[in-house]
Amino acid sequence: MIRIAFDIGGTFTDFVLHDAEKRVIRFGKALTTPRNLEQAVVEGVDAILAEHGGTSADVVSVLHATTIATNAILERKGSRTALLTTEGFRDVLIIGRQKRYDTNNMHLDKPAPLIQRRHILEVAERMDATGNVVVPLDQTGMSAAIEVLRRGDYEAVAISFLHAYANPAHELAARDQIARALPSLAISLSHEVSPKFREYERTNTTVANAYVKPIVDRYLASLGSALQSRKFTANLYIMQSNGGLVTPEIARAFPVRIVESGPAAGVLMAASVGREEGHEHVLTFDMGGTTAKLGAIDDGEPAITQTFEVDGIDNRRYSGLPLNVSAVELVEIGAGGGSIAAAHRSLIKVGPESSGAEPGPICYGKGGTRPTITDANVVLGYLNPDWFCGGAMRLDVAAARAGIEREVAKPLSLSLEDAAWGIHSVANSNMERAMRIVSIERGRDPRRYALVAFGGAGPLHAARLARKLGVPKVIVPIGAGVGSAIGLLTAEAKIDVAMTRILRMEAPIAPEIGKIFSDLQVRAERDIANLNLTGDVRFRRGAYMRYAGQGFEIRVDLPLGAIDDQFVAAAIGAFETTYKRIYGYADSGTPVEAIDWYLTATKPGIGGQGAVGRQLSSAHSTARQGVSTSRRAYFPEAGGYVDTAVIDRYAMAVGQTIIGPALIEEREAMTVVLPGDTATVTGNGHLVIAIGGVT
Amino acid sequence: MTTSSQTPRPISANRPGVDAISLSVLWNTLLSIADEMGTALRRTAFSEAVREGDDFSTGIFDGRGRLIAQGNFTPGHLGAMPYVIENVLKFHAPETLRPGDSILLNDSFLGGGHFPDFFLTTPIFRQGRLIAYAVTTAHQVDMGGAAPGSQRVQGITEAYQEGLRILPIRVVREGQFDEDLMRMILGNVRVPAKVRGDLKAQLNANYVCGERLGDMYDVYGEDQMTRTIDAILEHSEAETRAILARLPQGRYEFEDFLDDAGPDTGPIRVFVAVTVDDTGVEIDFTGSGGTVQAALNSYINYTRAYGVFATRCLTEANLPNNEGSFRPIRVKAEEGSFFNPHFPAASGGRAAVQIRIFDCINGAFAKCIPHRAMGAFSHWANPNIGGVDPRSGKPFIMYDMLLGGYGGRATKDGVEAMSPVMNCSNIPVEVIEHNNPVLVERFSLIPDSGGAGKYRGGCGIRKDVKVLAEGAMLTLLGDRHNIAPYGVFGGGPGAVGQSLVISGAETRPYGSKEVVILKHGDVVSLRTSGAGGYGDASEREAAAIQADLADGYVTPAGVRASYWHDVTEKP
C-alpha cells in the first residue's frame, strides 16, 4: 500500500514515498529535466522505490503537482491558439481592465495578452444580460471563421461570447460546428471554463485554458506512458489550484485549473500539520528562493479564492492576467532568499528583483555581486556557512560582508551589522505587509492563528513575522523542504463547479436557488463519476453575495439540506455574519443579492488523512556528527551579536524544549528561535515555537 | 494585535532620532494603511464608478495637517487633498473636532474641482489627543443639478446649476450619520442609495485608517512616530529636489488647445511655461485662456493636482506622495483664468481637462528631457446617460469611461488602451448591461487612428451603445474632436475623435461636450482620438509595420497614407 507523490519545480523535482503498512515516509530530490519532464520523474520514482525496497506493483496511487501550465503562461510559450468572440468585441482581451498597476508610473506596460490580436476572430451573435437571443449565431460567419481556423494551423481555440454564462446556446452551437469541421482542434468554451460575468476576466480565463491545453495534454499522455512502461498500474492524480486531486482526463479538459498546483499542495501540507498540532486556524508562510507565498486556513480548510492573477508583479492588482479559477488563496510577493537588497534614495530596498538560482546570492560564490536576503542572513550568523543545504554548498561570508558593505552600508552610512539587520528587517516588513493582507484585511485576527512556516527560508524569518502580527505560535513542520509533495499525500479528490445568476435573496426565490444547485450537482457528479473512486461524495454549497447595489461580493458558505424559505433566511444570516467579520458592521435590513453560486464535491479514497509527521522517524533518525554547538548570531534585543546555541533538529528528543536565542539546523532549512521564545519538538515530529512564551 | 509586538531598537542614528531601518519599515506600514483604506472603500461601495472604475482615493495626514501617505489611486483627488484639508480646518478648527466626527465637503473651489467629488475627513484621536486625519475621496455618481451625473458642460454658466454644493459640514457625529443632513443631501440627488452607500464606504475606509494608525502609535509611541513623519517629509523633499536638480535648467514652453467649451464656442488656449531652476520646478499656466461660460473650468486645486502629477511622472521624481515630495513643484495660474477660476465658475466637466494638463507639460518637458516625453494621449470620453429604466420604472445613470492609447515613447510604441493620467478601470460591458437599459454593440480599437511615427501612438477606442429607454439624456464629455493629439520629434498626430448618434437611418455628429436627448433605440457611437507618434515615420522598422498590419492596428490604406510602403490590399 505505497503512495508516491512528486512536485515538479523550476529547479528540483521533489518526491515523497509513503508506505501506510510499514508506517514509513521517505523524501527524495532530483534535478528537474525541463526538456523532458517525465525523465526526472521516472528516475526519481525508481530511485525512491529502490531505496524503500518496493516495486511498481506495490504502488496504489501516484500523486502529482506540476508547474507545466504556469510556465507556459509565464513564458508565453503556449499552443498556437485562436479566440472566437462576439462581433464588435474583438478587443476585449487586448483592452483588459485598463488600470495602471502603479498610478505614479506613466511609462509602464500592460501585461501582455496571451495571444495577439491577429488570432482573434469575430462572429455575429448576441445574447442579452438575461440570456435572450438578440442576434442569432451567423452561419456564414461561422463558415468563414472555420476557414480561418483551418488555414491558420491552430492547435486550440477559445470561444467566448458575451453573456454566455446566462445562455450558452451559441457557444455550444459554435463548438459543434468547429468540432465537426476540425476534429483535432482543442476547444475551450467560456461558459464551461468560467461561467461568470465580466467579459474580460472570463475571456482571459478561457483563452488561458485553450493556450495550455495541448501542452498539458501531451505532457500527461507521455507521463502516463512513461509510468506504464515502468509497469505502474496505479492511478495517477493531478493536483489542482483548489487543493483537490483530479484524474488526468479532467486536468486535460480544464488545465487552467492546475496553474497553482504546487503552491496549493504546500498549503494542504500546512493544513494537515495544523490539524495534527490541534490548530484549525493557520496562516501559511512559504518562503523560497524568489518569492514568499502567504495563505490562510480557517476551521481546518484552506481559504479558497475564485479569482487570482497569474504573472503579476509583487501582488499588485492589474499587473497580471486574471484567472477565474478556484484556487487556494495566496498572496505572493517578491521576497525570497535571492531577493536583491540595495540602497535606494537613502532607504533600504529589498526585492522584488531576484538574483535567481544563477548567479544567486553573493555568498554562493557563483558570480553574484548584488547582496541578497540570504547574504544578510549569513552575515547575521543565522545561516551556517559550512553546512548550507546539508553541506552541499559552502557560503562565502567574507564576500557577503563586502557586498553588503559596498552596496548598502556605505551609501547609507550604516555599520555593516546595521545594514545586514536592515535588509533582514525590511524583508520582514515587506512580508508583514503581505501577511496583513492575508490576515487583517480579510478579517482574520492573527492572534487566533498559528503560523506554519516552510520553504527554504520560511523557518528563518517566521518568528519575527509572528511577533510583528501577534501570532502566538510558529510551527515548522518536518520535511519543510519538500512541503508541497507531502501536501499531495493529504489531498482528496475535489471538483468545484460554479455559475453566475444574480438573484435578490428573498423568500420566494427558494425554488430558483434549488434549480441552480441541482444543475450544479449534475455537473459535479458527472466529473466525480470519472474519478474511479469508491466512497461517499461530500458536498459543500456556497455563494458570492453582497448588499444589493454593491459591486464586490464576499464568499459565504451555505447550508446543506432542503432549499426553502428558511434556507434563504439562513443564507442572509450567514452573509451578514461574514460581512461583519470582514468590515466590522452589517447593514441589516438592506436587501442582499447573490451573484455566483458554487458547489464543491469531495470524495475520499485516494489517500489517508492520517498524520504523516509521526511516521517520519524511521527514515530520518541519524543525527549529524560534528556540529558546532554555538555560533555568533545577531539579536538586537539581546544587545547585538551573542553566542547562540546551534541545535541539530534530528537530534532533538520529543518534548525537549529549547529556549531562544537558538538556531535549529536541519538539512532543508534553518529555524531561528528568538530570545524569549521557546521551541519544542512535538510527538508528531514538528517543531513548535511559542512566541514570547505565549502558548 | 500588539500583545507580543516589540519596538525595534533604534540604532545608528544617521538622522536625529530616526535610522534608515525604522524609516523604511514605518513608511512601508503607512503606505500599506493607505492601500488598506482603498480595499475597504472599493469592497463596500455601491456605485459602478467607485467599485468597478476605482474612481476614488485615500490619504493620511498628520495632526498638523501634513500629507504623509496616499494609496495608489486617482491623481486628481490625491493632489487636491492637501489643500482640501487646509480648507476643512479653516471651517472646523482642530480644537473643535471630537472623536467620531467626520467632515464632508464637495465644493468645487475648496475641494476637488467639481461637486461629484466627496471628500470625507475623519480626525483620529489617541488618548484624547488628535494625532492624524484620515481622508477619502470618491466620485459620487450624481450630485443633482441640470443633468444626470452632474457633469454637463453645455448651457451651464455657474456652479449653482450643477447640483448640491456642500461646504465643510460635520456629517458624522459619534460615528453615526447626522440623519437630518443626510436627508437634505440625499433629497437632492438622483440615486440616493448609491450616494449613501458610497459615503458609508468612505467612512469605513477612514475607520480602517484610525484602527491601524492607533496600533502603530501603540507600538512605536508618539515621539518615534512624530520623528519618523518629519523624516519622511524631509527625506521626500530632499530626494525630490535632488532628482529635479539633475534636469537641464531653463524655461520650456508649450501651447495646445482644447476643442471648445461646448457647441458654438471656440478653442481654449492651453499654454504652459515650465521653469527648471535651483528652487525646483515651476509650472505656470499664465497665458492660457480665461474662465469659460460652461462647466469646464479647472479650479486651482485640480490644476495643481495634475500639474504636480505630470511633473513628477515625467521627471521620475515619483517618490510616494506626501507634502515633502510635492513641495519642490509649484503650479500657478492667473486668478480668474480657465486654470484658476473664481467661484461660481462652472466646472462639472473639468475631467475633460486633466489629460490636456499632462499633455501640455509633457510637450514642454520634451524640450528638456526628450527620452521621457511621449506623443499626446488619445483623449478619453466620460459620458453619462441618464433617464428612467423601463424595466424597473426607476432612474438610472450609466457613467462610463472610454480610455484610449498612450503616445509613442522614446524606445517603444505607445501602450494600447490604458487609463491615461487618472487611473481608472473600465466598467465591463456585462456589468453595464445588467445595470442599465442599454445594449453595447461594439467596444473596440480603431485601426489607423494611432499617430504614425518611429514609435506609433496607441489607437483610439470606439464604443457603440444602443439605449433602450425613451427620452434619456446623453451628456457628452470629451475632447480632441477638432484638435488632434500631437506627435513629438516628427511623429504624426493621432486621428481626431467623434461623437455620433445613429437614429434610424440618420447619423448625426456632435461636438465633444454636447447634451442630446435620445429616442428609444438610438445608438450612441463614441470614438476617441488616437494618440500621437514619437519620431519620424520614415524611421519605423518594416517588421513593426508588418506586425501592425497582421494585427490590424493599421490597414493597408493606413500604411500607404502614413508610411509610404508598397502594400498590397491583402497583407
Side-chain angles (χ1 to χ4, degrees):
Chain A
M1 189 50 195
I2 292 174
R3 293 181 301 144
I4 291 178
F6 56 95
D7 169 32
I8 304 184
T11 315
F12 288 105
T13 302
D14 296 340
F15 298 88
V16 178
L17 177 151
H18 180 232
D19 186 328
E21 278 137 29
K22 295 186 184 158
R23 299 180 62 79
V24 166
I25 192 160
R26 290 175 190 279
F27 308 147
K29 257 182 196 293
L31 275 172
T32 296
T33 45
R35 265 178 286 281
N36 186 12
L37 292 170
E38 60 273 18
Q39 184 192 332
V41 171
V42 292
E43 286 172 10
V45 167
D46 283 353
I48 203 165
L49 264 178
E51 184 190 320
H52 186 66
T55 68
S56 53
D58 304 327
V59 178
V60 293
S61 51
V62 176
L63 316 174
H64 180 23
T66 173
T67 52
I68 186 158
T70 326
N71 289 346
I73 291 172
L74 295 183
E75 296 166 13
R76 300 292 191 273
K77 285 182 181 161
S79 316
R80 189 169 164 81
T81 303
L83 165 64
L84 179 64
T85 193
T86 305
E87 187 175 66
F89 297 89
R90 180 183 186 186
D91 293 317
V92 162
L93 195 71
I94 310 288
I95 294 170
R97 289 301 294 275
Q98 303 194 266
K99 187 168 161 122
R100 301 191 297 280
Y101 61 82
D102 180 356
T103 296
N104 294 309
N105 186 348
M106 295 289 289
H107 292 77
L108 51 75
D109 286 292
K110 291 202 312 195
L114 293 176
I115 60 174
Q116 292 168 291
R117 192 171 192 259
R118 67 193 67 169
H119 302 305
I120 305 174
L121 323 174
E122 293 181 337
V123 64
E125 72 80 36
R126 188 69 148 87
M127 299 286 173
D128 71 13
T130 50
N132 297 317
V133 176
V134 180
V135 178
L137 181 64
D138 174 37
Q139 289 311 310
T140 318
M142 276 308 299
S143 306
I146 287 169
E147 214 26 58
V148 173
L149 292 173
R150 186 197 313 278
R151 283 202 322 266
D153 199 24
Y154 290 101
E155 294 171 272
V157 61
I159 304 177
S160 183
F161 291 156
L162 274 191
H163 297 299
Y165 60 89
N167 181 353
H170 288 172
E171 285 192 356
L172 290 168
R175 191 252 334 254
D176 290 346
Q177 293 174 38
I178 293 172
R180 256 198 313 276
L182 305 164
S184 66
L185 200 60
I187 305 175
S188 299
L189 306 180
S190 86
H191 79 275
E192 287 185 355
V193 175
S194 168
K196 304 221 205 145
F197 86 150
R198 293 193 175 102
E199 64 276 5
Y200 168 62
E201 288 81 355
R202 184 176 70 254
T203 302
N204 188 62
T205 308
T206 310
V207 168
N209 195 71
Y211 189 67
V212 299
K213 201 172 182 180
I215 290 173
V216 170
D217 197 61
R218 282 193 292 272
Y219 165 67
L220 288 178
S222 64
L223 179 63
S225 57
L227 289 171
Q228 254 171 16
S229 74
R230 291 296 210 279
K231 307 266 186 294
F232 280 93
T233 52
N235 289 317
L236 174 64
Y237 293 97
I238 310 298
M239 173 59 68
Q240 305 177 104
S241 310
N242 67 3
L245 294 164
V246 287
T247 58
E249 288 67 38
I250 294 173
R252 285 155 85 165
F254 297 107
V256 74
R257 294 184 192 163
I258 66 169
V259 162
E260 291 278 359
S261 181
V267 174
L268 287 187
M269 181 277 297
S272 158
V273 166
R275 266 197 302 276
E276 288 171 35
E277 296 300 331
H279 289 280
E280 295 289 289
H281 298 315
V282 171
L283 296 171
T284 71
F285 171 44
D286 174 4
M287 183 176 174
T290 49
T291 67
K293 300 184 194 78
L294 298 110
I297 290 150
D298 303 311
D299 298 318
E301 297 284 336
I304 300 291
T305 174
Q306 300 299 320
T307 179
F308 66 97
E309 286 187 12
V310 63
D311 196 19
I313 297 169
D314 223 11
N315 203 46
R316 284 170 182 261
R317 198 160 173 248
Y318 301 106
S319 65
L321 299 171
L323 296 180
N324 284 343
V325 168
S326 168
V328 167
E329 179 184 296
L330 287 170
V331 170
E332 185 168 11
I333 61 162
S339 294
I340 289 168
H344 179 73
R345 297 172 170 172
S346 74
L347 296 174
I348 298 168
K349 187 169 180 289
V350 180
E353 199 187 347
S354 171
S355 65
E358 293 285 340
I362 297 174
C363 62
Y364 283 15
K366 292 198 285 185
T369 56
R370 302 174 68 189
T372 63
I373 295 175
T374 298
D375 292 306
N377 287 336
V378 74
V379 167
L380 293 169
Y382 299 148
L383 290 173
N384 183 349
D386 302 321
W387 202 68
F388 189 70
C389 248
M393 188 187 274
R394 289 182 69 87
L395 302 181
D396 186 342
V397 192
R401 292 173 68 94
I404 291 174
E405 180 70 43
R406 182 182 67 243
E407 302 287 332
V408 180
K410 262 188 96 178
L412 297 178
S413 317
L414 293 170
S415 70
L416 173 68
E417 289 71 28
D418 286 348
W421 172 246
I423 294 167
H424 183 84
S425 301
V426 170
N428 286 347
S429 100
N430 292 344
M431 292 187 285
E432 180 194 345
R433 189 167 179 174
M435 185 153 282
R436 281 188 182 281
I437 293 172
V438 164
S439 59
I440 296 163
E441 270 197 31
R442 297 183 183 165
R444 301 184 179 101
D445 182 344
R447 290 171 299 188
R448 296 177 55 231
Y449 283 72
L451 182 64
V452 173
F454 56 105
L460 197 156
H461 289 266
R464 291 274 173 211
L465 202 52
R467 281 196 178 186
K468 287 275 191 191
L469 282 129
V471 177
K473 189 186 276 186
V474 170
I475 304 171
V476 181
I478 198 151
V482 291
S484 289
I486 291 181
L488 288 167
L489 295 176
T490 71
E492 292 182 303
K494 180 170 164 185
I495 299 290
D496 279 316
V497 287
M499 69 162 82
T500 292
R501 180 75 48 82
I502 302 175
L503 293 179
R504 183 72 66 99
M505 295 298 279
E506 292 156 346
I509 212 75
E512 203 161 335
I513 299 174
K515 172 84 168 54
I516 290 171
F517 278 112
S518 64
D519 287 356
L520 288 174
Q521 188 149 345
V522 168
R523 279 167 52 197
E525 279 174 345
R526 197 169 51 212
D527 280 349
I528 284 280
N530 292 328
L531 288 172
N532 311 318
L533 292 173
T534 54
D536 293 330
V537 184
R538 281 182 294 114
F539 288 103
R540 286 179 61 182
R541 290 172 179 161
Y544 269 70
M545 297 167 71
R546 65 189 184 194
Y547 284 117
Q550 287 184 325
F552 196 91
E553 304 87 37
I554 55 176
R555 184 191 137 119
V556 178
D557 288 326
L558 299 179
L560 293 170
I563 296 180
D564 49 20
D565 295 359
Q566 271 158 13
F567 176 92
V568 176
I572 294 170
F575 166 74
E576 297 204 326
T577 305
T578 312
Y579 194 92
K580 199 163 182 179
R581 179 170 63 77
I582 298 175
Y583 302 118
Y585 73 100
D587 276 338
S588 292
T590 307
V592 173
E593 285 176 341
I595 310 302
D596 292 329
W597 305 83
Y598 62 92
L599 183 71
T600 299
T602 49
K603 197 167 190 179
I606 296 175
Q609 300 300 301
V612 291
R614 68 175 63 109
Q615 299 171 13
L616 288 163
S617 51
S618 56
H620 293 271
S621 56
T622 42
R624 215 151 31 85
Q625 301 299 309
V627 178
S628 67
T629 52
S630 84
R631 183 159 77 230
R632 301 284 285 175
Y634 191 81
F635 293 94
E637 54 274 77
Y641 279 98
V642 291
D643 282 323
T644 307
V646 179
I647 291 117
D648 177 1
R649 176 166 180 176
Y650 304 140
M652 282 177 74
V654 169
Q656 183 185 346
T657 296
I658 307 286
I659 297 167
L663 302 169
I664 299 177
E665 285 190 340
E666 63 191 294
R667 193 176 56 190
E668 301 91 359
M670 169 71 66
T671 302
V672 174
V673 186
L674 301 180
D677 296 352
T678 54
T680 313
V681 172
T682 69
N684 299 315
H686 306 309
L687 194 59
V688 171
I689 305 170
I691 301 297
V694 184
T695 48
Chain B
M1 203 179 68
T2 57
T3 45
S4 58
S5 299
Q6 294 199 353
T7 309
R9 194 176 61 94
I11 49 170
S12 160
N14 58 336
R15 191 185 297 271
V18 185
D19 57 274
I21 300 163
S22 303
L23 185 61
S24 308
V25 170
L26 293 185
W27 200 347
N28 242 349
T29 309
L30 286 167
L31 293 171
S32 84
I33 295 175
D35 281 343
E36 243 177 78
M37 292 168 72
T39 306
L41 210 171
R42 180 191 296 117
R43 292 189 175 190
T44 57
F46 280 70
S47 75
E48 289 84 355
V50 172
R51 56 183 225 206
E52 303 282 348
D54 268 9
D55 197 352
F56 64 86
S57 295
T58 63
I60 307 169
F61 292 77
D62 74 356
R64 292 160 57 189
R66 298 178 303 174
L67 175 62
I68 51 182
Q70 288 186 316
N72 184 21
F73 304 106
T74 302
H77 297 161
L78 297 171
M81 257 185 214
Y83 306 102
V84 174
I85 190 152
E86 219 178 289
N87 292 331
V88 166
L89 296 179
K90 279 183 200 153
F91 284 78
H92 297 271
E95 58 275 17
T96 66
L97 295 171
R98 304 266 171 283
D101 283 351
S102 287
I103 311 293
L104 173 64
L105 140 79
N106 83 335
D107 178 57
S108 38
F109 177 70
L110 300 176
H114 72 169
F115 291 167
D117 281 350
F118 264 29
F119 287 78
L120 190 71
T121 302
T122 302
I124 295 166
F125 289 83
R126 182 171 177 271
Q127 294 160 2
R129 301 208 305 119
L130 203 167
I131 53 165
Y133 299 91
V135 183
T136 42
T137 317
H139 180 119
Q140 294 287 349
V141 77
D142 186 72
M143 264 298 107
S150 315
Q151 297 201 128
R152 175 177 174 151
V153 174
Q154 182 187 0
I156 306 295
T157 55
E158 54 175 8
Y160 300 109
Q161 294 164 268
E162 299 189 288
L164 187 67
R165 175 194 186 203
I166 304 167
L167 296 174
I169 57 171
R170 199 180 313 239
V171 74
V172 177
R173 290 168 196 272
E174 292 173 2
Q176 303 296 319
F177 283 123
D178 180 326
E179 292 299 339
D180 284 340
L181 287 175
M182 289 301 284
R183 205 167 300 128
M184 207 205 69
I185 295 168
L186 300 178
N188 280 283
V189 301
R190 291 180 179 81
V191 282
K194 287 191 179 185
V195 171
R196 186 186 177 101
D198 283 1
L199 188 56
K200 184 73 196 288
Q202 289 186 255
L203 191 58
N204 292 342
N206 289 3
Y207 281 152
V208 164
C209 178
E211 294 279 308
R212 295 270 279 107
L213 263 188
D215 289 345
M216 261 184 107
Y217 273 79
D218 286 345
V219 173
Y220 296 100
E222 204 161 321
D223 285 352
Q224 166 93 341
M225 286 298 294
T226 307
R227 278 198 308 273
T228 304
I229 289 165
D230 287 344
I232 288 172
L233 301 183
E234 209 176 285
H235 168 84
S236 302
E237 181 172 353
E239 288 298 328
T240 303
R241 288 196 189 285
I243 292 162
L244 298 179
R246 292 199 284 270
L247 301 174
Q249 294 198 346
R251 181 181 156 97
Y252 311 97
E253 297 178 353
F254 195 79
E255 178 189 53
D256 198 353
F257 291 87
L258 287 157
D259 282 351
D260 55 32
D264 308 319
T265 63
I268 301 165
R269 185 178 193 229
V270 180
F271 176 80
V272 72
V274 172
T275 306
V276 181
D277 61 22
D278 290 339
T279 65
V281 170
E282 183 187 80
I283 306 292
D284 185 357
F285 285 97
T286 302
S288 297
T291 302
V292 295
Q293 293 297 304
L296 197 65
N297 296 291
S298 173
Y299 278 96
I300 190 67
N301 283 353
Y302 198 68
T303 303
R304 279 195 283 229
Y306 280 106
V308 170
F309 173 77
T311 304
R312 295 172 69 220
C313 286
L314 289 164
T315 60
E316 291 181 90
N318 48 0
L319 275 86
N321 291 0
N322 60 50
E323 184 175 304
S325 56
F326 286 173
R327 220 179 270 151
I329 301 162
R330 302 176 307 282
V331 178
K332 64 187 225 192
E334 292 161 288
E335 282 214 20
S337 70
F338 182 77
F339 285 107
N340 188 8
H342 293 300
F343 195 83
S347 63
R350 55 76 170 123
V353 179
Q354 55 179 314
I355 294 176
R356 196 59 40 86
I357 295 175
F358 194 108
D359 275 346
C360 210
I361 295 171
N362 170 67
F365 268 117
K367 299 161 187 169
C368 170
I369 38 172
H371 64 289
R372 295 289 292 173
M374 296 178 260
F377 294 101
S378 159
H379 201 80
W380 73 311
N382 187 200
N384 278 281
I385 300 173
V388 174
D389 188 339
R391 301 172 302 184
S392 64
K394 291 187 176 155
F396 76 93
I397 298 174
M398 176 186 154
Y399 170 90
D400 206 2
M401 293 176 281
L402 274 78
L403 309 163
Y406 277 44
R409 298 170 281 183
T411 56
K412 289 178 191 178
D413 286 348
V415 182
E416 297 293 353
M418 184 162 75
S419 186
V421 191
M422 74 289 185
N423 197 12
C424 294
S425 294
N426 60 32
I427 300 168
V429 170
E430 289 173 351
V431 171
I432 289 175
E433 292 188 357
H434 264 284
N435 297 336
N436 303 288
V438 302
L439 194 75
V440 178
E441 295 189 331
R442 169 172 292 274
F443 180 41
S444 61
L445 302 174
I446 305 170
D448 293 331
S449 59
K454 181 177 182 186
Y455 298 106
R456 177 176 63 77
C459 297
I461 290 260
R462 172 175 170 185
K463 196 178 221 174
D464 292 359
V465 182
K466 181 187 267 186
V467 179
L468 304 170
E470 195 57 54
M473 182 188 283
L474 164 68
T475 311
L476 290 168
L477 187 57
D479 204 70
R480 297 285 194 200
H481 283 29
N482 302 329
I483 293 156
Y486 62 81
V488 290
F489 306 113
V496 293
Q498 284 180 292
S499 298
L500 308 174
V501 174
I502 301 154
S503 194
E506 189 202 6
T507 297
R508 265 199 67 183
Y510 288 89
S512 53
K513 301 167 192 75
E514 289 198 50
V515 174
V516 187
I517 302 297
L518 301 170
K519 292 201 293 291
H520 188 284
D522 281 358
V523 176
V524 178
S525 179
L526 302 176
R527 300 157 191 204
T528 71
S529 54
Y534 191 112
D536 201 282
S538 64
E539 292 177 43
R540 187 164 180 79
E541 287 184 15
I545 296 170
Q546 288 301 340
D548 276 353
L549 271 170
D551 282 324
Y553 294 115
V554 295
T555 65
V559 169
R560 274 194 300 275
S562 301
Y563 297 98
W564 306 109
H565 281 237
D566 295 326
V567 176
T568 53
E569 269 309 321
K570 283 272 168 199

